[in-house]
Amino acid sequence: MSIVSLFELPPEILELKKKVREFAEKEIRPLVPEIEKKNKIPDELIEKIYNPPNAFQATSFPKEYGGKGMGVLGFTAIAEEIAYFNGACGILVEIGELSGSSILFGTENQKKEFLPKLTQEGKIFAFAMTEPHCGSDAAAITTTAEADGDEYVINGRKWYISFADEAQYFVITAKTSPEKGARGISLFVAEKGPGVRLGKELIPMGLRGHRPFEVIFENCRVPKENLIGEEGRGLGYAVRTLHRCRISLAAGYLGLARAALDKAIEYAKERKAFGRSLYEFQAISFPIAEALADLEAARLLVYKAAWMYDKGENVAKESAMAKELASRVLLKAVDIAVTTLGGYGTIEDFDVERYYRDAKTWVFAQGTPEILKLTVSRSIFEPRRR
Ligand SMILES: Cc1cc2nc3c(=O)[nH]c(=O)nc-3n(C[C@H](O)[C@H](O)[C@H](O)COP(=O)(O)OP(=O)(O)OC[C@H]3O[C@@H](n4cnc5c(N)ncnc54)[C@H](O)[C@@H]3O)c2cc1C
């Protein structure tokens, strides 16, 4: 149990948070060494996380589309709990939130068709935006989708696509009018099948088990009904989706930071040096005290952004601030944890080594810290672009 307190959340969210914590303690924690060793979340665990009644990836979505109707605040609360136990499982639920949130920009028919597959049938929808030559510059993609009768034909290569091997569907950005630049990008749902194949498997430094791949689309035919919303508005939908999803991602960072600090505290109490407990040295206890204050401050911002989102407010600035601050808090927390454990902190049996690798890997997802600062700066200096 963490020493970090919670401010009051609605009772149904607190209840779910507790349930998720109990689930993670029982089902995720014992499997972490296996996930690390095999770089894979066992299929049975994926099923337990994704299938009803748990279906944690369905938390935020409206009940009419099979979700739990608990909004971004509800999902934020559980994203923090899951990441406390394992970052890769955190990404697993996060890609459901990401793909499902972008489908919310679709027509009523599309929402009714695709969302229940994610929320009720446990299908995995990967999110495919990044390409080998561009990540932050999402308008520079070269993947194309050409209209051909009742279908679009998608060609291109996507890069660093989490859980691409496990996914049954991809939400993908592609250029329908390359000459229009950012305004020529559209969003599609593509089912895994003919025309979609996995390329290189990428082996990241941390978050083992989230299995990013290169994904190659070669004359992949999707029905016109799979174009989300309107042609040419795909990048706008994707960006607004990121504004929403950065909040729960930031909550994942808080969970991981909390796990690292809990380990540091435990060790500082147990370990003796020069006849004293480690925590009696202020060089050890003060950085922990400072990091806990930072963590509490970041939590307030993250949960405030979630609350604002659910009220229908524009959170472009707040979500960027929340994720950027949470990433700094996380990197500091894991550094303190490794320092507190000294040599033990660098050995794989001691968890904090994993937290350190996971943290450095995770902060680039869904907008690097620099891109988030760019978003915040623009909202200050060029507010009309907001
Ligand atoms: C754990 C993880 C999971 C991911 N999962 C997915 C996924 O499922 N689907 C998907 O599509 N992508 C995924 N990604 C990819 C991710 O979206 C990209 O890594 C991210 O957008 C950054 O792009 P990049 O890595 O190409 O870096 P680049 O954009 O090439 O940037 C390289 C460096 O330059 C900096 N930089 C770039 N532009 C500027 C600027 N204007 N000002 C200042 N600094 C700048 C960046 O901050 C970064 O430090 C994942 C990444 C990670 C780490």
PDB file of all heavy atoms in Angstrom, residues 91 95 98 127-132 134-137 159-162 207 210 361-371 374, ligand 1:
ATOM      1  N   ILE A  91       0.440   0.139 -20.827  1.00  0.00           N
ATOM      2  CA  ILE A  91       0.321   0.486 -22.263  1.00  0.00           C
ATOM      3  C   ILE A  91      -0.784  -0.327 -22.915  1.00  0.00           C
ATOM      4  O   ILE A  91      -1.506   0.170 -23.784  1.00  0.00           O
ATOM      5  CB  ILE A  91       1.659   0.247 -22.996  1.00  0.00           C
ATOM      6  CG1 ILE A  91       2.730   1.161 -22.410  1.00  0.00           C
ATOM      7  CG2 ILE A  91       1.507   0.513 -24.497  1.00  0.00           C
ATOM      8  CD1 ILE A  91       4.000   1.233 -23.209  1.00  0.00           C
ATOM      9  N   ILE A  95      -3.553   1.664 -25.080  1.00  0.00           N
ATOM     10  CA  ILE A  95      -3.797   1.668 -26.537  1.00  0.00           C
ATOM     11  C   ILE A  95      -5.285   1.456 -26.830  1.00  0.00           C
ATOM     12  O   ILE A  95      -5.789   1.909 -27.857  1.00  0.00           O
ATOM     13  CB  ILE A  95      -2.930   0.659 -27.336  1.00  0.00           C
ATOM     14  CG1 ILE A  95      -3.135  -0.766 -26.847  1.00  0.00           C
ATOM     15  CG2 ILE A  95      -1.470   1.052 -27.374  1.00  0.00           C
ATOM     16  CD1 ILE A  95      -2.840  -1.786 -27.925  1.00  0.00           C
ATOM     17  N   LEU A  98      -6.686   4.883 -26.427  1.00  0.00           N
ATOM     18  CA  LEU A  98      -6.241   5.719 -27.550  1.00  0.00           C
ATOM     19  C   LEU A  98      -7.057   5.413 -28.810  1.00  0.00           C
ATOM     20  O   LEU A  98      -7.621   6.310 -29.445  1.00  0.00           O
ATOM     21  CB  LEU A  98      -4.761   5.392 -27.784  1.00  0.00           C
ATOM     22  CG  LEU A  98      -3.843   6.320 -28.548  1.00  0.00           C
ATOM     23  CD1 LEU A  98      -3.900   7.730 -28.024  1.00  0.00           C
ATOM     24  CD2 LEU A  98      -2.406   5.788 -28.446  1.00  0.00           C
ATOM     25  N   PHE A 127      -2.745   1.385 -32.326  1.00  0.00           N
ATOM     26  CA  PHE A 127      -2.858   2.760 -32.847  1.00  0.00           C
ATOM     27  C   PHE A 127      -1.605   3.030 -33.682  1.00  0.00           C
ATOM     28  O   PHE A 127      -0.487   2.985 -33.162  1.00  0.00           O
ATOM     29  CB  PHE A 127      -2.948   3.722 -31.667  1.00  0.00           C
ATOM     30  CG  PHE A 127      -3.259   5.135 -32.048  1.00  0.00           C
ATOM     31  CD1 PHE A 127      -4.550   5.510 -32.384  1.00  0.00           C
ATOM     32  CD2 PHE A 127      -2.262   6.105 -32.059  1.00  0.00           C
ATOM     33  CE1 PHE A 127      -4.852   6.828 -32.718  1.00  0.00           C
ATOM     34  CE2 PHE A 127      -2.552   7.424 -32.395  1.00  0.00           C
ATOM     35  CZ  PHE A 127      -3.851   7.782 -32.728  1.00  0.00           C
ATOM     36  N   ALA A 128      -1.788   3.287 -34.984  1.00  0.00           N
ATOM     37  CA  ALA A 128      -0.632   3.354 -35.885  1.00  0.00           C
ATOM     38  C   ALA A 128      -0.500   4.729 -36.532  1.00  0.00           C
ATOM     39  O   ALA A 128      -1.149   5.023 -37.536  1.00  0.00           O
ATOM     40  CB  ALA A 128      -0.752   2.270 -36.954  1.00  0.00           C
ATOM     41  N   MET A 129       0.365   5.545 -35.944  1.00  0.00           N
ATOM     42  CA  MET A 129       0.557   6.906 -36.440  1.00  0.00           C
ATOM     43  C   MET A 129       2.025   7.123 -36.843  1.00  0.00           C
ATOM     44  O   MET A 129       2.324   7.629 -37.912  1.00  0.00           O
ATOM     45  CB  MET A 129       0.160   7.889 -35.328  1.00  0.00           C
ATOM     46  CG  MET A 129       0.030   9.299 -35.787  1.00  0.00           C
ATOM     47  SD  MET A 129      -1.187  10.184 -34.809  1.00  0.00           S
ATOM     48  CE  MET A 129      -0.155  11.173 -33.803  1.00  0.00           C
ATOM     49  N   THR A 130       2.939   6.698 -35.964  1.00  0.00           N
ATOM     50  CA  THR A 130       4.375   6.931 -36.180  1.00  0.00           C
ATOM     51  C   THR A 130       4.877   6.161 -37.406  1.00  0.00           C
ATOM     52  O   THR A 130       4.409   5.061 -37.684  1.00  0.00           O
ATOM     53  CB  THR A 130       5.142   6.467 -34.919  1.00  0.00           C
ATOM     54  OG1 THR A 130       4.586   7.135 -33.784  1.00  0.00           O
ATOM     55  CG2 THR A 130       6.621   6.773 -34.994  1.00  0.00           C
ATOM     56  N   GLU A 131       5.835   6.768 -38.119  1.00  0.00           N
ATOM     57  CA  GLU A 131       6.472   6.084 -39.255  1.00  0.00           C
ATOM     58  C   GLU A 131       7.990   6.110 -39.042  1.00  0.00           C
ATOM     59  O   GLU A 131       8.483   6.866 -38.202  1.00  0.00           O
ATOM     60  CB  GLU A 131       6.063   6.777 -40.569  1.00  0.00           C
ATOM     61  CG  GLU A 131       4.555   6.681 -40.768  1.00  0.00           C
ATOM     62  CD  GLU A 131       4.061   7.061 -42.157  1.00  0.00           C
ATOM     63  OE1 GLU A 131       4.884   7.449 -43.023  1.00  0.00           O
ATOM     64  OE2 GLU A 131       2.832   6.955 -42.363  1.00  0.00           O
ATOM     65  N   PRO A 132       8.719   5.296 -39.808  1.00  0.00           N
ATOM     66  CA  PRO A 132      10.173   5.223 -39.548  1.00  0.00           C
ATOM     67  C   PRO A 132      10.847   6.599 -39.603  1.00  0.00           C
ATOM     68  O   PRO A 132      11.755   6.871 -38.828  1.00  0.00           O
ATOM     69  CB  PRO A 132      10.690   4.314 -40.667  1.00  0.00           C
ATOM     70  CG  PRO A 132       9.511   3.472 -41.067  1.00  0.00           C
ATOM     71  CD  PRO A 132       8.295   4.326 -40.836  1.00  0.00           C
ATOM     72  N   CYS A 134       9.253   9.665 -39.205  1.00  0.00           N
ATOM     73  CA  CYS A 134       8.605  10.772 -38.479  1.00  0.00           C
ATOM     74  C   CYS A 134       7.739  10.277 -37.323  1.00  0.00           C
ATOM     75  O   CYS A 134       6.978   9.319 -37.463  1.00  0.00           O
ATOM     76  CB  CYS A 134       7.767  11.633 -39.423  1.00  0.00           C
ATOM     77  SG  CYS A 134       6.319  10.834 -40.106  1.00  0.00           S
ATOM     78  N   GLY A 135       7.916  10.966 -36.189  1.00  0.00           N
ATOM     79  CA  GLY A 135       7.099  10.658 -35.003  1.00  0.00           C
ATOM     80  C   GLY A 135       6.397  11.918 -34.560  1.00  0.00           C
ATOM     81  O   GLY A 135       5.205  12.117 -34.791  1.00  0.00           O
ATOM     82  N   SER A 136       7.172  12.843 -33.961  1.00  0.00           N
ATOM     83  CA  SER A 136       6.581  14.110 -33.503  1.00  0.00           C
ATOM     84  C   SER A 136       5.938  14.860 -34.662  1.00  0.00           C
ATOM     85  O   SER A 136       4.860  15.447 -34.514  1.00  0.00           O
ATOM     86  CB  SER A 136       7.663  15.006 -32.882  1.00  0.00           C
ATOM     87  OG  SER A 136       8.375  14.310 -31.903  1.00  0.00           O
ATOM     88  N   ASP A 137       6.587  14.836 -35.804  1.00  0.00           N
ATOM     89  CA  ASP A 137       6.072  15.554 -36.980  1.00  0.00           C
ATOM     90  C   ASP A 137       5.064  14.651 -37.697  1.00  0.00           C
ATOM     91  O   ASP A 137       5.324  14.122 -38.783  1.00  0.00           O
ATOM     92  CB  ASP A 137       7.264  15.906 -37.893  1.00  0.00           C
ATOM     93  CG  ASP A 137       6.849  16.787 -39.056  1.00  0.00           C
ATOM     94  OD1 ASP A 137       5.659  17.175 -39.118  1.00  0.00           O
ATOM     95  OD2 ASP A 137       7.709  17.075 -39.902  1.00  0.00           O
ATOM     96  N   TRP A 159       5.621   2.481 -37.677  1.00  0.00           N
ATOM     97  CA  TRP A 159       6.811   2.168 -36.877  1.00  0.00           C
ATOM     98  C   TRP A 159       6.502   2.323 -35.397  1.00  0.00           C
ATOM     99  O   TRP A 159       5.786   3.251 -35.029  1.00  0.00           O
ATOM    100  CB  TRP A 159       7.926   3.141 -37.296  1.00  0.00           C
ATOM    101  CG  TRP A 159       9.266   2.973 -36.663  1.00  0.00           C
ATOM    102  CD1 TRP A 159       9.809   3.770 -35.709  1.00  0.00           C
ATOM    103  CD2 TRP A 159      10.245   1.982 -36.966  1.00  0.00           C
ATOM    104  NE1 TRP A 159      11.066   3.330 -35.400  1.00  0.00           N
ATOM    105  CE2 TRP A 159      11.370   2.241 -36.156  1.00  0.00           C
ATOM    106  CE3 TRP A 159      10.282   0.882 -37.835  1.00  0.00           C
ATOM    107  CZ2 TRP A 159      12.517   1.449 -36.182  1.00  0.00           C
ATOM    108  CZ3 TRP A 159      11.425   0.104 -37.873  1.00  0.00           C
ATOM    109  CH2 TRP A 159      12.526   0.386 -37.050  1.00  0.00           C
ATOM    110  N   TYR A 160       7.023   1.452 -34.599  1.00  0.00           N
ATOM    111  CA  TYR A 160       6.881   1.505 -33.131  1.00  0.00           C
ATOM    112  C   TYR A 160       5.403   1.357 -32.746  1.00  0.00           C
ATOM    113  O   TYR A 160       4.857   2.157 -31.972  1.00  0.00           O
ATOM    114  CB  TYR A 160       7.448   2.814 -32.561  1.00  0.00           C
ATOM    115  CG  TYR A 160       8.052   2.641 -31.174  1.00  0.00           C
ATOM    116  CD1 TYR A 160       9.347   3.061 -30.884  1.00  0.00           C
ATOM    117  CD2 TYR A 160       7.329   2.025 -30.147  1.00  0.00           C
ATOM    118  CE1 TYR A 160       9.900   2.888 -29.622  1.00  0.00           C
ATOM    119  CE2 TYR A 160       7.865   1.849 -28.889  1.00  0.00           C
ATOM    120  CZ  TYR A 160       9.149   2.280 -28.637  1.00  0.00           C
ATOM    121  OH  TYR A 160       9.677   2.099 -27.386  1.00  0.00           O
ATOM    122  N   ILE A 161       4.748   0.347 -33.287  1.00  0.00           N
ATOM    123  CA  ILE A 161       3.332   0.169 -33.008  1.00  0.00           C
ATOM    124  C   ILE A 161       3.190  -0.865 -31.881  1.00  0.00           C
ATOM    125  O   ILE A 161       3.404  -2.067 -32.085  1.00  0.00           O
ATOM    126  CB  ILE A 161       2.561  -0.271 -34.281  1.00  0.00           C
ATOM    127  CG1 ILE A 161       2.900   0.689 -35.447  1.00  0.00           C
ATOM    128  CG2 ILE A 161       1.063  -0.319 -34.007  1.00  0.00           C
ATOM    129  CD1 ILE A 161       2.721   2.168 -35.151  1.00  0.00           C
ATOM    130  N   SER A 162       2.812  -0.366 -30.713  1.00  0.00           N
ATOM    131  CA  SER A 162       2.712  -1.229 -29.529  1.00  0.00           C
ATOM    132  C   SER A 162       1.650  -2.301 -29.736  1.00  0.00           C
ATOM    133  O   SER A 162       0.568  -2.012 -30.255  1.00  0.00           O
ATOM    134  CB  SER A 162       2.318  -0.396 -28.296  1.00  0.00           C
ATOM    135  OG  SER A 162       3.216   0.652 -28.102  1.00  0.00           O
ATOM    136  N   LEU A 207       9.890  -1.279 -20.502  1.00  0.00           N
ATOM    137  CA  LEU A 207       8.486  -1.653 -20.745  1.00  0.00           C
ATOM    138  C   LEU A 207       8.409  -2.959 -21.522  1.00  0.00           C
ATOM    139  O   LEU A 207       7.644  -3.092 -22.477  1.00  0.00           O
ATOM    140  CB  LEU A 207       7.761  -0.541 -21.507  1.00  0.00           C
ATOM    141  CG  LEU A 207       7.645   0.784 -20.765  1.00  0.00           C
ATOM    142  CD1 LEU A 207       7.247   1.894 -21.721  1.00  0.00           C
ATOM    143  CD2 LEU A 207       6.646   0.681 -19.624  1.00  0.00           C
ATOM    144  N   HIS A 210       5.548  -4.776 -24.166  1.00  0.00           N
ATOM    145  CA  HIS A 210       4.581  -3.984 -24.950  1.00  0.00           C
ATOM    146  C   HIS A 210       4.793  -4.179 -26.448  1.00  0.00           C
ATOM    147  O   HIS A 210       4.011  -3.692 -27.256  1.00  0.00           O
ATOM    148  CB  HIS A 210       4.555  -2.510 -24.538  1.00  0.00           C
ATOM    149  CG  HIS A 210       5.616  -1.629 -25.114  1.00  0.00           C
ATOM    150  ND1 HIS A 210       6.923  -1.676 -24.716  1.00  0.00           N
ATOM    151  CD2 HIS A 210       5.574  -0.649 -26.052  1.00  0.00           C
ATOM    152  CE1 HIS A 210       7.629  -0.760 -25.372  1.00  0.00           C
ATOM    153  NE2 HIS A 210       6.828  -0.145 -26.203  1.00  0.00           N
ATOM    154  N   THR A 361      11.926   4.960 -21.154  1.00  0.00           N
ATOM    155  CA  THR A 361      11.277   4.556 -22.409  1.00  0.00           C
ATOM    156  C   THR A 361       9.916   5.244 -22.565  1.00  0.00           C
ATOM    157  O   THR A 361       9.560   5.725 -23.637  1.00  0.00           O
ATOM    158  CB  THR A 361      11.070   3.016 -22.412  1.00  0.00           C
ATOM    159  OG1 THR A 361      12.327   2.390 -22.141  1.00  0.00           O
ATOM    160  CG2 THR A 361      10.540   2.517 -23.741  1.00  0.00           C
ATOM    161  N   TRP A 362       9.173   5.285 -21.463  1.00  0.00           N
ATOM    162  CA  TRP A 362       7.746   5.662 -21.550  1.00  0.00           C
ATOM    163  C   TRP A 362       7.527   7.140 -21.848  1.00  0.00           C
ATOM    164  O   TRP A 362       6.521   7.531 -22.438  1.00  0.00           O
ATOM    165  CB  TRP A 362       7.029   5.265 -20.247  1.00  0.00           C
ATOM    166  CG  TRP A 362       5.599   4.881 -20.458  1.00  0.00           C
ATOM    167  CD1 TRP A 362       4.901   4.916 -21.640  1.00  0.00           C
ATOM    168  CD2 TRP A 362       4.699   4.388 -19.472  1.00  0.00           C
ATOM    169  NE1 TRP A 362       3.614   4.468 -21.440  1.00  0.00           N
ATOM    170  CE2 TRP A 362       3.470   4.144 -20.123  1.00  0.00           C
ATOM    171  CE3 TRP A 362       4.807   4.131 -18.101  1.00  0.00           C
ATOM    172  CZ2 TRP A 362       2.352   3.660 -19.441  1.00  0.00           C
ATOM    173  CZ3 TRP A 362       3.698   3.647 -17.428  1.00  0.00           C
ATOM    174  CH2 TRP A 362       2.478   3.412 -18.091  1.00  0.00           C
ATOM    175  N   VAL A 363       8.486   7.982 -21.410  1.00  0.00           N
ATOM    176  CA  VAL A 363       8.217   9.428 -21.509  1.00  0.00           C
ATOM    177  C   VAL A 363       8.106   9.920 -22.954  1.00  0.00           C
ATOM    178  O   VAL A 363       7.568  11.002 -23.205  1.00  0.00           O
ATOM    179  CB  VAL A 363       9.257  10.290 -20.745  1.00  0.00           C
ATOM    180  CG1 VAL A 363       9.173  10.034 -19.256  1.00  0.00           C
ATOM    181  CG2 VAL A 363      10.672  10.066 -21.255  1.00  0.00           C
ATOM    182  N   PHE A 364       8.566   9.116 -23.938  1.00  0.00           N
ATOM    183  CA  PHE A 364       8.486   9.573 -25.336  1.00  0.00           C
ATOM    184  C   PHE A 364       7.120   9.307 -25.967  1.00  0.00           C
ATOM    185  O   PHE A 364       6.799   9.876 -27.005  1.00  0.00           O
ATOM    186  CB  PHE A 364       9.566   8.887 -26.187  1.00  0.00           C
ATOM    187  CG  PHE A 364      10.957   9.218 -25.741  1.00  0.00           C
ATOM    188  CD1 PHE A 364      11.807   8.250 -25.245  1.00  0.00           C
ATOM    189  CD2 PHE A 364      11.412  10.527 -25.792  1.00  0.00           C
ATOM    190  CE1 PHE A 364      13.087   8.565 -24.815  1.00  0.00           C
ATOM    191  CE2 PHE A 364      12.692  10.859 -25.372  1.00  0.00           C
ATOM    192  CZ  PHE A 364      13.536   9.872 -24.876  1.00  0.00           C
ATOM    193  N   ALA A 365       6.346   8.413 -25.368  1.00  0.00           N
ATOM    194  CA  ALA A 365       5.072   8.018 -25.992  1.00  0.00           C
ATOM    195  C   ALA A 365       4.071   9.176 -25.973  1.00  0.00           C
ATOM    196  O   ALA A 365       4.036   9.973 -25.032  1.00  0.00           O
ATOM    197  CB  ALA A 365       4.495   6.810 -25.256  1.00  0.00           C
ATOM    198  N   GLN A 366       3.280   9.263 -27.020  1.00  0.00           N
ATOM    199  CA  GLN A 366       2.188  10.255 -27.122  1.00  0.00           C
ATOM    200  C   GLN A 366       2.645  11.692 -26.885  1.00  0.00           C
ATOM    201  O   GLN A 366       1.977  12.460 -26.193  1.00  0.00           O
ATOM    202  CB  GLN A 366       1.065   9.912 -26.134  1.00  0.00           C
ATOM    203  CG  GLN A 366       0.319   8.643 -26.471  1.00  0.00           C
ATOM    204  CD  GLN A 366      -0.905   8.475 -25.594  1.00  0.00           C
ATOM    205  OE1 GLN A 366      -1.573   9.439 -25.240  1.00  0.00           O
ATOM    206  NE2 GLN A 366      -1.218   7.233 -25.260  1.00  0.00           N
ATOM    207  N   GLY A 367       3.781  12.027 -27.469  1.00  0.00           N
ATOM    208  CA  GLY A 367       4.282  13.398 -27.332  1.00  0.00           C
ATOM    209  C   GLY A 367       5.472  13.433 -26.399  1.00  0.00           C
ATOM    210  O   GLY A 367       5.334  13.178 -25.200  1.00  0.00           O
ATOM    211  N   THR A 368       6.639  13.745 -26.961  1.00  0.00           N
ATOM    212  CA  THR A 368       7.850  13.806 -26.134  1.00  0.00           C
ATOM    213  C   THR A 368       7.754  15.034 -25.210  1.00  0.00           C
ATOM    214  O   THR A 368       6.973  15.963 -25.496  1.00  0.00           O
ATOM    215  CB  THR A 368       9.107  13.957 -27.021  1.00  0.00           C
ATOM    216  OG1 THR A 368       9.026  15.235 -27.686  1.00  0.00           O
ATOM    217  CG2 THR A 368       9.193  12.848 -28.078  1.00  0.00           C
ATOM    218  N   PRO A 369       8.582  15.084 -24.162  1.00  0.00           N
ATOM    219  CA  PRO A 369       8.534  16.265 -23.280  1.00  0.00           C
ATOM    220  C   PRO A 369       8.722  17.573 -24.044  1.00  0.00           C
ATOM    221  O   PRO A 369       8.069  18.573 -23.737  1.00  0.00           O
ATOM    222  CB  PRO A 369       9.689  16.002 -22.305  1.00  0.00           C
ATOM    223  CG  PRO A 369       9.794  14.504 -22.244  1.00  0.00           C
ATOM    224  CD  PRO A 369       9.464  14.020 -23.624  1.00  0.00           C
ATOM    225  N   GLU A 370       9.574  17.565 -25.074  1.00  0.00           N
ATOM    226  CA  GLU A 370       9.813  18.803 -25.838  1.00  0.00           C
ATOM    227  C   GLU A 370       8.542  19.209 -26.596  1.00  0.00           C
ATOM    228  O   GLU A 370       8.175  20.385 -26.634  1.00  0.00           O
ATOM    229  CB  GLU A 370      10.967  18.612 -26.836  1.00  0.00           C
ATOM    230  CG  GLU A 370      12.345  18.468 -26.190  1.00  0.00           C
ATOM    231  CD  GLU A 370      12.538  17.125 -25.488  1.00  0.00           C
ATOM    232  OE1 GLU A 370      11.897  16.137 -25.898  1.00  0.00           O
ATOM    233  OE2 GLU A 370      13.317  17.078 -24.516  1.00  0.00           O
ATOM    234  N   ILE A 371       7.872  18.240 -27.182  1.00  0.00           N
ATOM    235  CA  ILE A 371       6.654  18.545 -27.946  1.00  0.00           C
ATOM    236  C   ILE A 371       5.550  19.043 -26.998  1.00  0.00           C
ATOM    237  O   ILE A 371       4.783  19.942 -27.336  1.00  0.00           O
ATOM    238  CB  ILE A 371       6.203  17.295 -28.754  1.00  0.00           C
ATOM    239  CG1 ILE A 371       7.247  16.968 -29.823  1.00  0.00           C
ATOM    240  CG2 ILE A 371       4.812  17.474 -29.360  1.00  0.00           C
ATOM    241  CD1 ILE A 371       7.559  18.082 -30.817  1.00  0.00           C
ATOM    242  N   LEU A 374       6.193  22.540 -26.266  1.00  0.00           N
ATOM    243  CA  LEU A 374       5.807  23.326 -27.452  1.00  0.00           C
ATOM    244  C   LEU A 374       4.299  23.610 -27.406  1.00  0.00           C
ATOM    245  O   LEU A 374       3.848  24.728 -27.665  1.00  0.00           O
ATOM    246  CB  LEU A 374       6.142  22.488 -28.685  1.00  0.00           C
ATOM    247  CG  LEU A 374       6.459  23.173 -29.992  1.00  0.00           C
ATOM    248  CD1 LEU A 374       7.663  24.087 -29.856  1.00  0.00           C
ATOM    249  CD2 LEU A 374       6.723  22.104 -31.068  1.00  0.00           C
TER     250      LEU A 374
HETATM  251  C1  LIG B   1       6.699   3.238 -25.155  1.00  0.00           C
HETATM  252  C2  LIG B   1       6.317   3.774 -26.497  1.00  0.00           C
HETATM  253  C3  LIG B   1       5.172   3.308 -27.116  1.00  0.00           C
HETATM  254  C4  LIG B   1       4.808   3.801 -28.369  1.00  0.00           C
HETATM  255  N1  LIG B   1       3.690   3.279 -28.987  1.00  0.00           N
HETATM  256  C5  LIG B   1       3.307   3.792 -30.180  1.00  0.00           C
HETATM  257  C6  LIG B   1       2.138   3.285 -30.819  1.00  0.00           C
HETATM  258  O1  LIG B   1       1.465   2.370 -30.328  1.00  0.00           O
HETATM  259  N2  LIG B   1       1.772   3.842 -32.010  1.00  0.00           N
HETATM  260  C7  LIG B   1       2.479   4.849 -32.600  1.00  0.00           C
HETATM  261  O2  LIG B   1       2.069   5.319 -33.660  1.00  0.00           O
HETATM  262  N3  LIG B   1       3.630   5.319 -32.023  1.00  0.00           N
HETATM  263  C8  LIG B   1       4.061   4.811 -30.839  1.00  0.00           C
HETATM  264  N4  LIG B   1       5.202   5.270 -30.248  1.00  0.00           N
HETATM  265  C9  LIG B   1       6.039   6.217 -30.958  1.00  0.00           C
HETATM  266  C10 LIG B   1       5.942   7.620 -30.370  1.00  0.00           C
HETATM  267  O3  LIG B   1       4.703   8.177 -30.703  1.00  0.00           O
HETATM  268  C11 LIG B   1       7.132   8.435 -30.907  1.00  0.00           C
HETATM  269  O4  LIG B   1       8.309   7.887 -30.348  1.00  0.00           O
HETATM  270  C12 LIG B   1       7.010   9.895 -30.538  1.00  0.00           C
HETATM  271  O5  LIG B   1       5.966  10.495 -31.237  1.00  0.00           O
HETATM  272  C13 LIG B   1       8.306  10.666 -30.874  1.00  0.00           C
HETATM  273  O6  LIG B   1       8.659  10.454 -32.189  1.00  0.00           O
HETATM  274  P1  LIG B   1      10.122   9.941 -32.557  1.00  0.00           P
HETATM  275  O7  LIG B   1      10.507   8.857 -31.625  1.00  0.00           O
HETATM  276  O8  LIG B   1      10.135   9.646 -34.019  1.00  0.00           O
HETATM  277  O9  LIG B   1      11.087  11.158 -32.243  1.00  0.00           O
HETATM  278  P2  LIG B   1      11.309  12.463 -33.144  1.00  0.00           P
HETATM  279  O10 LIG B   1      10.040  13.117 -33.442  1.00  0.00           O
HETATM  280  O11 LIG B   1      12.203  12.126 -34.280  1.00  0.00           O
HETATM  281  O12 LIG B   1      12.111  13.356 -32.100  1.00  0.00           O
HETATM  282  C14 LIG B   1      13.466  13.047 -31.715  1.00  0.00           C
HETATM  283  C15 LIG B   1      13.862  14.028 -30.609  1.00  0.00           C
HETATM  284  O13 LIG B   1      13.765  15.368 -31.105  1.00  0.00           O
HETATM  285  C16 LIG B   1      12.879  16.140 -30.299  1.00  0.00           C
HETATM  286  N5  LIG B   1      12.091  17.056 -31.156  1.00  0.00           N
HETATM  287  C17 LIG B   1      11.381  16.748 -32.271  1.00  0.00           C
HETATM  288  N6  LIG B   1      10.765  17.837 -32.742  1.00  0.00           N
HETATM  289  C18 LIG B   1      11.076  18.861 -31.918  1.00  0.00           C
HETATM  290  C19 LIG B   1      10.732  20.251 -31.846  1.00  0.00           C
HETATM  291  N7  LIG B   1       9.915  20.808 -32.747  1.00  0.00           N
HETATM  292  N8  LIG B   1      11.227  20.987 -30.826  1.00  0.00           N
HETATM  293  C20 LIG B   1      12.051  20.430 -29.891  1.00  0.00           C
HETATM  294  N9  LIG B   1      12.403  19.132 -29.891  1.00  0.00           N
HETATM  295  C21 LIG B   1      11.930  18.351 -30.884  1.00  0.00           C
HETATM  296  C22 LIG B   1      11.968  15.130 -29.607  1.00  0.00           C
HETATM  297  O14 LIG B   1      11.458  15.633 -28.396  1.00  0.00           O
HETATM  298  C23 LIG B   1      12.919  13.954 -29.389  1.00  0.00           C
HETATM  299  O15 LIG B   1      13.647  14.140 -28.215  1.00  0.00           O
HETATM  300  C24 LIG B   1       5.597   4.787 -29.009  1.00  0.00           C
HETATM  301  C25 LIG B   1       6.762   5.256 -28.365  1.00  0.00           C
HETATM  302  C26 LIG B   1       7.119   4.765 -27.146  1.00  0.00           C
HETATM  303  C27 LIG B   1       8.395   5.259 -26.508  1.00  0.00           C
END
